[in-house]
């Protein structure tokens, strides 16, 4: 399990304005990027290596 102590969460730029259904991202932690549901900030979070996160973002961009 990744240690997310010190994570600085921000709304993902991909969340848009969809009635509060947002994804939050913390990318200030060494070696990983964490993702969580903004409606449940104390709930579970997913942690990805920076390389895996970069690949995910790249292949989910429109037009890819």
């Amino acid at each position: 399990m990744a240690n997310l102590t010190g994570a600085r969460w921000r709304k993902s730029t991909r969340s848009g304005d969809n009635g509060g259904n947002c994804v939050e991202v913390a990318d200030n932690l060494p070696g990983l990027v964490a993702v969580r549901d903004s409606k449940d900030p104390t709930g579970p979070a997913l942690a990805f290596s920076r390389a895996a996160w970069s690949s995910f973002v790249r292949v989910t961009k429109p037009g890819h």
Side-chain angles (χ1 to χ4, degrees), residues 8-55:
R8 289 190 311 260
W9 297 97
R10 63 175 174 77
K11 179 180 169 184
S12 169
T13 57
R14 303 277 184 225
S15 287
D17 183 27
N18 52 13
N21 296 320
C22 300
V23 172
E24 292 181 328
V25 178
D27 57 5
N28 67 302
L29 301 167
L32 64 90
V33 176
V35 181
R36 71 179 182 187
D37 181 348
S38 65
K39 294 183 306 305
D40 190 9
T42 60
L46 300 173
F48 299 90
S49 70
R50 290 193 176 278
W53 182 251
S54 293
S55 293

